[in-house]
Amino acid sequence: MHVVILAGGKGVRLRPYTSALPKPLVPIGEEYAILDIILRQLVSQGFTSATLAVGHLSPLIRAFVGDGSRWGLQVDYTEEVKPLSTIGPLFSIRDRLPEHFLVMNGDVLTTLNYASLLTSHGLSGAPLTVATAPRVVKIDFGVLEAGSGFITGFREKPLLSYLVSMGVYALSRSAIDDYPEGMSFGFDELVLDLLARQSPPAVFEFDGYWLDIGRPDDYDEANARFEEYRALLLPPEKEPVA
């Protein structure tokens, strides 16, 4: 099983932590980087190879990961000379990708089973499968429904439930065949294109632990709760290869 890890962003929202370190290398707990945790998880679930899409401070990521042998992975790289968004980095490595593969952000902490997501995708026949998490948003105002100049409904401070993307996807190579190399192209654009082509993505719903480390508050929470989730995030029987 193969994974593409998106590790090229500047991590602007996480400054000042990302001024000197790329976001995937910021420390969690006292001894792990986010990327270290992700690679350990992937190996523990049967992944054998990875491509890292790098850009911002890429020499640090290359020095940290190397060829991936200390995790028991075969690792190669694709370098962004300009920002290519979420899906764009895949276009230059199509010939190196298997029929079905995982794509994920390099700043995600989750107990999601990546292998189950990829297996589900292969069975679905969909071009793309999106791992989703439930989120509830509290509206701090009374919400009005109106029509023809009159109020037709009212809800006092309602709770709105959504499914949100976790930043982890399973993708079929054929879904990106038609896009030119070097094109900046986002996940949102791919989803809209697939919907327009009447080839809708599948959903892989997940309700376990998930944290996208995008802001300083998220980073603080990740460190504060790491010991609570340590055994789930880092199964002791899945230590990296010496």
Side-chain angles (χ1 to χ4, degrees), residues 111-125:
T111 55
L112 172 72
N113 189 304
Y114 302 116
S116 294
L117 167 60
L118 189 54
T119 298
S120 175
H121 171 72
L123 295 173
S124 73

Side-chain angles (χ1 to χ4, degrees), residues 176-215:
I176 57 172
D177 279 346
D178 297 332
Y179 302 103
E181 183 176 333
M183 176 184 182
S184 178
F185 198 69
F187 164 76
D188 56 333
E189 294 171 291
L190 177 61
V191 170
L192 291 172
D193 262 11
L194 291 173
L195 291 174
R197 286 151 46 187
Q198 298 185 341
S199 186
V203 169
F204 188 87
E205 296 190 27
F206 175 73
D207 62 359
Y209 177 72
W210 166 63
L211 185 62
D212 172 56
I213 303 175
R215 303 168 302 172

Side-chain angles (χ1 to χ4, degrees), residues 7-230:
K10 293 183 178 180
V12 174
R13 292 182 300 156
L14 201 56
R15 288 176 179 168
Y17 301 112
T18 51
S19 297
L21 283 175
K23 188 160 55 168
L25 295 189
V26 297
I28 299 294
E30 297 182 357
E31 52 187 310
Y32 302 103
I34 299 172
L35 186 56
D36 185 12
I37 295 171
I38 290 172
L39 294 176
R40 289 172 180 245
Q41 292 176 318
L42 289 164
V43 170
S44 76
Q45 295 175 22
F47 284 80
T48 57
S49 58
T51 298
L52 270 62
V54 295
H56 176 62
L57 300 174
S58 65
L60 296 179
I61 293 180
R62 288 177 179 268
F64 180 79
V65 178
D67 63 3
S69 57
R70 72 184 179 104
W71 291 274
L73 279 168
Q74 294 180 347
V75 172
D76 61 14
Y77 297 86
T78 179
E79 184 97 23
E80 296 182 32
V81 296
K82 65 176 183 178
L84 296 177
S85 195
T86 315
I87 304 298
L90 306 177
F91 301 158
S92 64
I93 58 170
R94 275 180 287 236
D95 59 343
R96 290 151 53 185
L97 295 171
E99 181 181 1
H100 305 301
F101 56 95
L102 197 75
V103 181
M104 65 179 296
N105 294 337
D107 59 354
V108 173
L109 278 184
T110 180
T111 55
L112 172 72
N113 189 304
Y114 302 116
S116 294
L117 167 60
L118 189 54
T119 298
S120 175
H121 171 72
L123 295 173
S124 73
L128 168 71
T129 300
V130 182
T132 63
R135 281 294 180 266
V136 176
V137 178
K138 181 181 179 181
I139 306 299
D140 290 328
F141 303 93
V143 174
L144 301 174
E145 297 173 10
S148 302
F150 294 91
I151 293 175
T152 59
F154 176 78
R155 290 176 291 165
E156 175 63 20
K157 298 180 179 178
L159 297 176
L160 303 181
S161 298
Y162 299 95
L163 284 180
V164 301
S165 169
M166 294 174 59
V168 185
Y169 329 107
L171 193 62
S172 295
R173 192 177 57 234
S174 59
I176 57 172
D177 279 346
D178 297 332
Y179 302 103
E181 183 176 333
M183 176 184 182
S184 178
F185 198 69
F187 164 76
D188 56 333
E189 294 171 291
L190 177 61
V191 170
L192 291 172
D193 262 11
L194 291 173
L195 291 174
R197 286 151 46 187
Q198 298 185 341
S199 186
V203 169
F204 188 87
E205 296 190 27
F206 175 73
D207 62 359
Y209 177 72
W210 166 63
L211 185 62
D212 172 56
I213 303 175
R215 303 168 302 172
D217 287 350
D218 301 323
Y219 180 55
D220 292 342
E221 181 181 347
N223 277 291
R225 302 191 68 181
F226 179 67
E227 289 304 320
E228 177 184 350
Y229 286 95
R230 180 188 183 110

